[in-house]
Amino acid sequence: KECTAEAQQALLDADCSDCYPQVAIDGDSGTAVLTSSAKEVKLMSLIDGIFRAILDPIDIGSSGRSPAISGDSIAVGIPERVILYEKNLFTETWLQSTTRLKPETQEFLNEERFGSSVAIDGEIMVVGAPGINVNTGSAYIYQRTQTGSSSEYAWSQVRKIRRPGGDVLDFGGEVAVKGGLIAIGDPKFGQNGINLFAHGSKSERGAVFVYSSYESEAYTSRIENTECMRWFGSKVVLTDE
């Protein structure tokens, strides 16, 4: 069924497994990847709005949390790991990889929210884990390299960007990457206990940290929310401009 106004209203009362709450767009190819609570991954053409393919379902028991697409690579973040799809350039079909991305550390535990946010640009992927280190957060940088034939690739972790000092409490809640720039959102930045809202919640100004290269952990700029609003930095997008 389509997600009409009635179906959207039904979300208030029951789970709508046919709705697609998460979407990522590849403007170069005119393709959108959508995930749903039904554990489906679908591709849609932005030209005519027609679904072009239904990919292999993601792991049983997990719903897609954060999709990303760039060229012939798709990544879908699910609880504590990232599912990968690669496009075969000869057959024009998408295949799910048997590889599941996880941090390369023995100290990584469950509930670190690895995969809460994912972004891809060419050969670089950024994965957020805002729950690691008692909800202070980190972001993991992966690089894709060719391993065999022209359609065989592997993603390897090349760096971990730890949260900066100060009032950073949800670093990696959102990530973006474009043309060498990396942006990492922290919607809970500045949670200092001051009650600014009528319902009495603590102030969460939010901030976005921008890095000019994945090779350094030092951010080049910090964009802070100066208004009385919540969840600034919960969505971040980088463009060519």
Side-chain angles (χ1 to χ4, degrees):
K1 62 184 178 181
E2 297 181 357
C3 277
T4 60
E6 291 78 10
Q8 294 176 29
Q9 180 64 36
L11 286 170
L12 299 175
D13 305 315
D15 176 40
C16 177
S17 60
D18 294 326
C19 290
Y20 292 84
Q22 300 292 335
V23 60
I25 294 174
D26 181 20
D28 293 335
S29 64
T31 302
V33 56
L34 304 96
T35 62
S36 75
S37 56
K39 307 174 182 61
E40 290 182 329
V41 179
K42 287 189 176 184
L43 298 182
M44 184 180 73
S45 169
L46 297 178
I47 299 175
D48 53 21
I50 296 176
F51 286 110
R52 298 299 187 190
I54 301 178
L55 308 187
D56 293 337
I58 54 183
D59 291 13
I60 298 300
S62 301
S63 59
R65 176 183 290 172
S66 178
I69 179 173
S70 177
D72 56 357
S73 295
I74 291 175
V76 179
I78 63 176
E80 313 310 336
R81 56 200 182 279
V82 174
I83 306 299
L84 302 174
Y85 298 86
E86 296 289 343
K87 186 177 183 179
N88 187 305
L89 300 181
F90 297 103
T91 63
E92 295 291 317
T93 58
W94 291 85
L95 299 176
Q96 183 180 140
S97 171
T98 56
T99 302
R100 302 289 186 265
L101 294 187
K102 297 180 180 180
E104 297 175 357
T105 173
Q106 298 297 322
E107 300 177 353
F108 196 82
L109 303 174
N110 292 330
E111 305 304 329
E112 310 292 10
R113 294 157 60 200
F114 177 84
S116 291
S117 55
V118 183
I120 307 177
D121 182 42
E123 312 302 318
I124 300 298
M125 181 191 307
V126 185
V127 181
I132 200 170
N133 298 328
V134 195
N135 291 325
T136 56
S138 292
Y140 295 81
I141 312 300
Y142 292 85
Q143 188 169 26
R144 190 178 77 160
T145 56
Q146 190 170 326
T147 59
S149 68
S150 59
S151 61
E152 294 180 352
Y153 299 93
W155 291 92
S156 302
Q157 183 182 322
V158 295
R159 181 167 295 278
K160 172 184 176 182
I161 300 180
R162 297 170 177 82
R163 64 106 178 177
D167 298 329
V168 182
L169 295 176
D170 210 35
F171 185 75
E174 174 68 2
V175 297
V177 57
K178 187 70 175 180
L181 285 179
I182 293 174
I184 303 176
D186 178 7
K188 294 185 179 180
F189 174 81
Q191 189 180 54
N192 54 22
I194 300 176
N195 292 328
L196 296 180
F197 302 96
H199 48 70
S201 65
K202 295 181 179 179
S203 67
E204 298 168 350
R205 296 197 310 273
V208 176
F209 299 83
V210 181
Y211 299 77
S212 60
S213 170
Y214 69 85
E215 297 180 352
S216 173
E217 287 194 41
Y219 63 86
T220 54
S221 62
R222 185 177 74 190
I223 306 170
E224 293 187 37
N225 168 29
T226 59
E227 304 293 333
C228 184
M229 65 176 70
R230 301 189 70 191
W231 307 117
F232 180 84
S234 60
K235 190 63 178 178
V236 180
V237 176
L238 291 174
T239 69
D240 292 327
E241 300 179 358

